[in-house]
Amino acid sequence: MTIQTKLRARVSPQVISKVTRIFNGTLDDIFNELFQNARRAGATFVAVTTEHIGDACIITVTDDGAGIANPADLVSLGQSDWSDECQTREDPAGMGFFSLAGLDTVVSSTSAAGAFSLAISGDAWTGEADIDVLPWDGPPGTQIAFHFAAFPDGKLERAVAAAARFYPLPVSYNGEGLPSADFLEGAHSVIERDRVRIGVFRQRHVGQMPTVNFHGVTLIHVLPQIKEVHHAQWSARVDILDAPDLVLVLPARKEIYRNAALERLVTQCREAIFATIRAEPFHRLSFEDWLEAKVNDEDYPEASRELPPLHTVHARDTYRDIPKFEPLAANAAIYDEADSYDSVTFERALAFSRGGVDGEPHCLAGAQPLTFYTPLRQFAGYHWYDALSCYIRTGESFSQDDGFQTRSDDDGLTFRPDRITLELADQHDRRLAVPSDFAILENDDAWSDPDYTRIALTCTSSLDPGDLTELIIDAAFSPSDDSDADSYDTQETRFRHDAAVRAHGILEGEDAATLAGIRMAFADRVAWRIPKGRTLQLTWSGEGTDLKLLATAGEARP
């Protein structure tokens, strides 16, 4: 066989036999395509009427457009008789009418070239039967009637209403006008560029909502979203007015064809969002986003000089709730904690610096007062942010009044020094010594058992067992989410019991720790059994037990 040296692409005649599978044939497809054809034909309205006959429904779509000049073009897949101007502006593919493929359809049209009517049976769509072209004496425009299965649940009405909602022409259904809406309704701002309207929305959930409107055909396309740092979320929607370079993927027209015009549209959406944020009283763009915004606006201001106050991170936290931002104080600094042990220890040091006096919990009092804020690395690069001292804890020291370093107890987990000092350093190697009366240090086994937390507490600390218990829980209680684990409440109750025993043991001795454990176990498991108005008297020892229910003072004994 001789192989040809030149080829030219062509469409196989067999394609027409598969035409009924080009479209899904849904009402949504049909109305969208017929409505778009009416618009391209210069119609000023579209009317939809229905007539129910048994289990079927005859749906008629009428417009007053320019009509169809050549009926042969109507049933020629990929062929159309649109004007050169329309071809340039919208790139019609000559396929939309075939959304009706397979349905019994009657088309009647009057144009400047003449008028005709033709009936297309189901098999005529695939070229298996002739289509008779008959005379027609009707008004200018096109009328298309087709048979469709009846929908008693209102699906037909919903499909017509959906096709009409963002369509630029008035649409009526059985004589009643259908409501229309601006696709960009509710936008924070609307910016028009290159005959495209870009709506910028604030705090709008995008999800699976349509983002692009092509003259009434709405599509879901991922458009830019910009999230300010712990602030507003911005997104874009696009309403196409006249953008010939933006075309849809054929034949279904359910997505935008990826080309240079689409890339330009995405860029324009980001620029529109940045311009909208620029008009706000302040912004919290990340440094990276701010650099992008400055490409088109050299004077774009830096993010507002604000940060959330420093707040304690607990081991049990699954989500870090950022406090409300505040303007930076003159003595502002950042503290970058390593974990909950570090965070809880530093929080206590800040409270210790105030000596029991009320004040802002994120402020360090004393000879070197500082106001600490939460680090937000997305701001790194801004001049004001980089100028802040960012402290981290580099260590801690424990000492006695005689200057000697404190030795731990035999178990190596409890320290009772006279002084505790937290050692901090910033990015410029500036050093800071922060006195405290408490420190809790990480230990591999401490997450599940407070007995293994390494605790330093000065001999003169004002903390009571309740305070110390809460510090241990905040720093070390991290509940297991394993499917075999007990509930959160059960785990927390057990950890709290052990933490309280440990706290009483450190501050009051082993007997107090034992009594604390018994007291908590009794309150949790036994106390509720004592009848109201009665007193339980309990004596328990190795030699025996004695339990008595006594009357409360002032009441007769039963």
Side-chain angles (χ1 to χ4, degrees):
M1 181 182 68
T2 303
I3 299 176
Q4 294 176 260
T5 58
K6 292 184 183 295
L7 298 174
R8 181 168 294 185
R10 63 190 178 91
V11 178
S12 169
Q14 296 175 346
V15 170
I16 196 66
S17 67
K18 302 177 176 64
V19 71
T20 55
R21 284 181 274 162
I22 290 180
F23 289 89
N24 288 327
T26 65
L27 284 173
D28 294 330
D29 284 340
I30 292 170
F31 287 130
N32 280 334
E33 294 296 343
L34 297 187
F35 283 16
Q36 293 308 308
N37 284 344
R39 180 184 59 80
R40 294 189 188 106
T44 61
F45 74 89
V46 173
V48 180
T49 58
T50 59
E51 180 182 357
H52 290 272
I53 303 176
D55 294 336
C57 180
I58 299 176
I59 303 171
T60 303
V61 179
T62 304
D63 68 67
D64 64 343
I68 301 167
N70 187 349
D73 291 337
L74 186 66
V75 291
S76 299
L77 182 63
Q79 182 69 33
S80 64
D81 65 352
W82 298 111
S83 66
D84 291 341
E85 179 186 1
C86 181
Q87 294 276 3
T88 300
R89 289 175 58 246
E90 299 206 24
D91 188 32
M95 294 184 178
F97 182 66
F98 281 83
S99 60
L100 291 163
L103 301 178
D104 292 336
T105 305
V106 176
V107 181
S108 304
S109 183
T110 299
S111 69
F116 67 87
S117 180
L118 53 85
I120 311 172
S121 61
D123 55 357
W125 286 100
T126 58
E128 300 173 31
D130 292 335
I131 302 172
D132 293 328
V133 180
L134 304 174
W136 166 253
D137 184 17
T142 300
Q143 182 182 98
I144 299 175
F146 57 94
H147 282 256
F148 212 90
F151 290 102
D153 61 352
K155 182 175 181 180
L156 171 58
E157 290 75 12
R158 291 194 299 272
V160 178
R165 185 180 182 192
F166 302 118
Y167 186 61
L169 302 180
V171 179
S172 65
Y173 179 69
N174 289 333
E176 297 290 333
L178 292 176
S180 62
D182 182 354
F183 186 68
L184 305 183
E185 183 179 354
H188 194 78
S189 70
V190 176
I191 297 173
E192 184 174 330
R193 294 182 180 177
D194 299 337
R195 298 293 292 155
V196 170
R197 296 172 68 228
I198 300 174
V200 179
F201 294 80
R202 176 176 178 151
Q203 308 295 61
R204 186 187 187 107
H205 177 67
V206 178
Q208 293 299 306
M209 294 177 58
T211 54
V212 181
N213 178 40
F214 269 86
H215 314 290
V217 178
T218 59
L219 309 172
I220 297 175
H221 185 84
V222 178
L223 292 178
Q225 299 182 56
I226 295 175
K227 178 72 169 70
E228 295 182 71
V229 181
H230 297 289
H231 194 46
Q233 168 96 17
W234 301 91
S235 58
R237 297 179 82 182
V238 171
D239 188 27
I240 304 297
L241 299 178
D242 183 13
D245 293 335
L246 285 169
V247 294
L248 304 183
V249 177
L250 299 173
R253 304 176 194 265
K254 299 293 177 66
E255 58 182 310
I256 308 175
Y257 180 69
R258 296 184 178 277
N259 59 11
L262 178 57
E263 293 180 4
R264 184 167 61 253
L265 176 64
V266 170
T267 299
Q268 289 173 335
C269 286
R270 291 189 68 86
E271 292 173 354
I273 293 175
F274 284 133
T276 300
I277 296 174
R278 176 74 158 87
E280 293 293 289
F282 67 92
H283 76 80
R284 293 188 187 134
L285 288 173
S286 70
F287 180 71
E288 182 179 357
D289 285 338
W290 177 73
L291 288 179
E292 182 181 349
K294 281 178 63 67
V295 171
N296 294 302
D297 184 353
E298 292 185 359
D299 296 326
Y300 209 102
E302 290 194 354
S304 179
R305 195 174 180 272
E306 297 180 330
L307 285 175
L310 184 68
H311 70 296
T312 309
V313 176
H314 297 158
R316 60 182 174 273
D317 292 343
T318 57
Y319 172 76
R320 183 168 183 174
D321 188 20
I322 298 295
K324 184 178 178 181
F325 280 56
E326 294 181 358
L328 295 181
N331 61 343
I334 293 172
Y335 184 72
D336 195 358
E337 80 283 338
D339 52 32
S340 58
Y341 287 90
D342 186 5
S343 182
V344 170
T345 297
F346 190 66
E347 178 198 35
R348 176 57 193 171
L350 295 178
F352 181 79
S353 73
R354 298 191 295 273
V357 178
D358 291 338
E360 293 295 338
H362 60 293
C363 292
L364 177 68
Q368 294 178 286
L370 290 173
T371 304
F372 285 99
Y373 296 86
T374 300
L376 295 176
R377 294 176 179 81
Q378 301 96 316
F379 288 155
Y382 285 121
H383 296 301
W384 63 265
Y385 185 86
D386 292 346
L388 298 173
S389 289
C390 181
Y391 286 98
I392 61 172
R393 186 164 134 208
T394 57
E396 56 282 319
S397 63
F398 314 111
S399 59
Q400 303 288 37
D401 288 338
D402 57 12
F404 288 99
Q405 184 176 359
T406 298
R407 298 179 61 86
S408 67
D409 291 343
D410 293 339
D411 59 9
L413 296 173
T414 302
F415 302 79
R416 295 305 306 269
D418 291 322
R419 287 187 298 276
I420 298 174
T421 303
L422 306 184
E423 298 166 356
L424 280 59
D426 71 359
Q427 70 272 39
H428 307 295
D429 202 32
R430 287 190 285 258
R431 302 287 172 169
L432 191 63
V434 181
S436 185
D437 63 345
F438 165 84
I440 185 166
L441 311 176
E442 187 173 359
N443 189 29
D444 291 341
D445 297 322
W447 296 110
S448 58
D449 190 344
D451 287 340
Y452 288 93
T453 54
R454 300 178 63 229
I455 297 173
L457 194 68
T458 60
C459 297
T460 57
S461 174
S462 62
L463 290 173
D464 61 28
D467 297 331
L468 184 54
T469 298
E470 294 302 324
L471 290 173
I472 295 172
I473 293 171
D474 290 344
F477 174 59
S478 179
S480 172
D481 57 1
D482 189 276
S483 59
D484 295 328
D486 290 323
S487 69
Y488 178 96
D489 289 340
T490 299
Q491 293 183 65
E492 197 269 347
T493 298
R494 185 182 302 121
F495 195 96
R496 177 174 293 277
H497 174 279
D498 295 344
V501 170
R502 178 79 190 280
H504 280 274
I506 293 173
L507 290 170
E508 299 173 343
E510 290 304 315
D511 284 353
T514 300
L515 289 174
I518 294 173
R519 188 180 301 111
M520 293 185 68
F522 186 89
D524 184 44
R525 301 178 185 178
V526 178
W528 62 273
R529 294 179 178 273
I530 302 173
K532 185 177 181 181
R534 308 293 295 279
T535 300
L536 175 67
Q537 179 176 292
L538 167 64
T539 303
W540 195 293
S541 68
E543 287 72 32
T545 61
D546 183 25
L547 284 83
K548 295 179 181 178
L549 279 174
L550 306 177
T552 302
E555 294 185 7
R557 186 169 182 171

